[in-house]
Amino acid sequence: PEPGRCAHFVLRKRRFCRMIPAPGRRFCGEHGHEEEQNDRKRIPCPLDPKHTVYEDQLQKHLKKCNSREKPKPVYFVQDINAGLKDVAEIPEKQAPLSSLSIEELQNLIIKLKKATNGLELHLKEQILSHQALQEALNDPKNGESASKHLKQQASILGNMEKLHLLGPGRCFVEFGAGRGKLSHWVDVALQNAENVQFLLVERATTRFKVDGKHKRRDSLFERLQVDIQHLCLNKVPILEKKRLPLVGIGKHLCGAATDLALRCLVESYTTCHDEEEEEPAPKRSRAAQTEVAPHSSAGNESATADHEPVAGIVIALCCHHKCDWTHYVGREFFKSVGLGPVEFHYFQRMSSWATCGMRETTNKASASEDSEDQTNDTEEHEQTLSRTESGSDPLQGILSAEERKEIGRLCKRLIDHGRIEYLQHQGYKAALQYYTEAAVSLENVLLTAVPRPSLIPEPTV
C-alpha cells in the first residue's frame, strides 16, 4: 500500500484502498474489521452489511445509521392503493411466455381477438401544442431527444387546455414526477393564474430537479417521496389546509403505476372526501359529487371543491408489460369477458410486441438530456422492452413482424379499456387518444378523464 493509506487490498479494483486510516492504524474505518485494536472487533452492520461497525458500539450505531428505517410521513398509509387485498385471489407465479406451446399461444390470441371484438381500437389522433412551450420547441440548441420530450409535453398541455383543466384554483398532482418537467411547463402555462399548487410524487430520490427553481409566490411546489401504492392524498398537509380540486397528471407512468395513481385519485381520495361530508347533507351519486363546470371561475371552483375533489386526469400511458393483476383497476372488466389473471399475465407480456425491436434507439443526441430525465425517457423505456421482451417464443417464425405488432397493440388496448371502464363506473367521462406521433414516441397514447355531469338530478331524500 501507499504510505499513509489503508492496507486493505480491493480485489475488484486490483489495488489497495486509498482511504487514510487513523494515526497508528493500518486500516481505515471501513476495513478496520481486518485488525482488532485493544480487543475491539468490527462486524458487518445488520442494517447494511456493506459497511462495518465496532461490536461494542452497535446499539449506538443503529440509532444513527443511514440505512435505518426512516419515520414514515403522515400521508403514508400501507397499501392504501394496492387494490387486491384477498391473498387467496392473488395469482401464483405464471410460466414464462416462451414456455407455452404453439397451440396454447394460438388459443390465447383467439381469446384476445374475441375479447377485443367490438372495442374502439382505432383511437382518435389529438396531437396538440401549447404556447408556453413554443420558445423552447424552436430553440436550435435542442437535440433530438430534448425535442421529442418537448413535443410530448406540449401536446399533454394542449390536451389539458382542451379539457379546461389549465386554470386557477387547482392543485396539480404529477405522479412519477422524476425531475418535475411536466409540472414545470404547467406552471409556465399558468404564470398569471392565482391559487395554484403542485404536488410532485416520486418514490426515488432524483437529481437535477427543476421544481426547486420556481420562485413564483402564486404557486407552491411540494415533493412527496413515497410510492404511489402507499400515498393517501387526504393526509397531505397542504391538501388538508386548502382543498383545491385536483388534476392528476403523468408523463409515461409505467405499467402498474398508472393503476395505482387512478385508484389513489378516484377511490382513496374521493371516497374519503365523501365520508368527511356532514351527516345531515343528502347523499348524492358519485357523478353528481364530482360534477365540474369547465368554464367556472376560481371562486366557484373553491366553493364547490367539496363536491369535485378531482377535476380531471391526464396520463400518458407506458410499459404495459409492467402491469400487475394485483394492482390492475380493470379486473372486473376482464372477468366480464371471460378472462382472468392467467390471461392477463400473458397479454401484458405480449403487449411489448407492439414496440420492442421496432426502432433502433439512439443515445448519441442530447446525452445530457437523456441522463437527466431518465425517469420519463421513453427511449429508455423502449430500450428496456427490446432487451427484456424481444425474442424467444414459439410463434417467432410463424407470425410476421406486423402481425406481432398488431397483437401487441390489441393487448395494450384491452388493458387500457379496462381502465376506461373502471373510470366510467367511478363517474368519469374517460377517453384514449394518440397525443403524439409514433416517430416521437412509440408509447403515444394519452388517457384523459373528467367528471361526468349528472344528466338527471336525483330526488332529495
Side-chain angles (χ1 to χ4, degrees), residues 9 94 101-102 129 150 154 242 305 317 322 457:
F9 187 77
Q94 303 293 337
S101 65
I102 293 177
S129 190
L150 289 169
K242 183 183 284 188
L317 304 174
K322 292 185 178 179

Side-chain angles (χ1 to χ4, degrees), residues 75 170-177 183 196-202 211 220-224 231-234 236-240 246-249 269:
Y75 46 80
R170 297 240 167 87
C171 177
F172 296 88
V173 184
E174 183 179 357
F175 294 94
S183 292
V196 176
Q197 296 175 342
F198 292 89
L199 288 177
L200 284 74
V201 182
E202 176 59 61
D211 42 299
L220 176 65
F221 276 73
E222 182 168 329
R223 185 171 283 266
L224 309 180
L231 172 60
C232 180
L233 288 171
N234 279 292
V236 176
I238 66 171
L239 291 181
E240 284 186 315
L246 300 190
V247 178
I249 60 176
Y269 185 66

Side-chain angles (χ1 to χ4, degrees), residues 128-132 154-167 170 172 189-190 294-295 314:
L128 305 176
S129 190
H130 195 279
Q131 186 62 35
S155 185
I156 291 173
L157 261 67
N159 278 276
M160 291 175 66
E161 187 172 52
K162 187 171 183 178
L163 293 170
H164 307 287
L165 296 177
L166 285 180
R170 297 240 167 87
F172 296 88
L190 296 175
H295 299 284
V314 180

Side-chain angles (χ1 to χ4, degrees), residues 226-403:
V226 62
D227 194 310
I228 306 170
Q229 181 171 333
H230 313 300
L231 172 60
C232 180
L233 288 171
N234 279 292
K235 297 191 176 187
V236 176
I238 66 171
L239 291 181
E240 284 186 315
K241 183 178 179 181
K242 183 183 284 188
R243 293 194 179 278
L244 297 176
L246 300 190
V247 178
I249 60 176
K251 177 174 175 285
H252 292 279
L253 198 55
C254 280
T258 292
D259 300 297
L260 296 172
L262 294 179
R263 195 175 283 110
C264 178
L265 289 167
V266 307
E267 282 191 49
S268 64
Y269 185 66
T270 308
T271 304
C272 289
H273 266 277
D274 296 344
E275 293 173 351
E276 289 169 6
E277 290 182 1
E278 296 181 3
E279 289 297 326
K283 289 187 177 181
R284 306 174 65 194
S285 67
R286 184 176 297 278
Q289 288 168 349
T290 54
E291 181 177 352
V292 59
H295 299 284
S296 60
S297 64
N300 289 337
E301 287 171 347
S302 298
T304 59
D306 289 338
H307 298 295
E308 51 174 56
V310 178
I313 300 169
V314 180
I315 295 175
L317 304 174
C318 179
C319 296
H320 293 72
H321 70 286
K322 292 185 178 179
C323 290
D324 187 287
W325 177 258
T326 304
H327 305 314
Y328 182 50
V329 295
R331 291 193 304 270
E332 291 304 317
F333 162 70
F334 257 64
K335 292 176 183 177
S336 71
V337 293
L339 303 174
V342 174
E343 290 83 5
F344 180 84
H345 167 77
Y346 291 120
F347 290 162
Q348 54 108 342
R349 306 313 294 176
M350 291 159 64
S351 70
S352 63
W353 292 356
T355 54
C356 68
M358 305 314 300
R359 183 174 72 180
E360 184 178 349
T361 307
T362 57
N363 291 321
K364 297 178 182 178
S366 297
S368 61
E369 177 75 10
D370 288 345
S371 62
E372 294 177 4
D373 206 13
Q374 287 181 358
T375 55
N376 285 338
D377 194 341
T378 59
E379 292 180 347
E380 182 253 352
H381 294 179
E382 288 155 12
Q383 226 178 5
T384 302
L385 286 172
S386 61
R387 286 196 301 265
T388 61
E389 297 300 319
S390 61
S392 60
D393 65 70
L395 294 177
Q396 182 76 41
I398 299 175
L399 294 176
S400 66
E402 195 57 40
E403 287 172 327

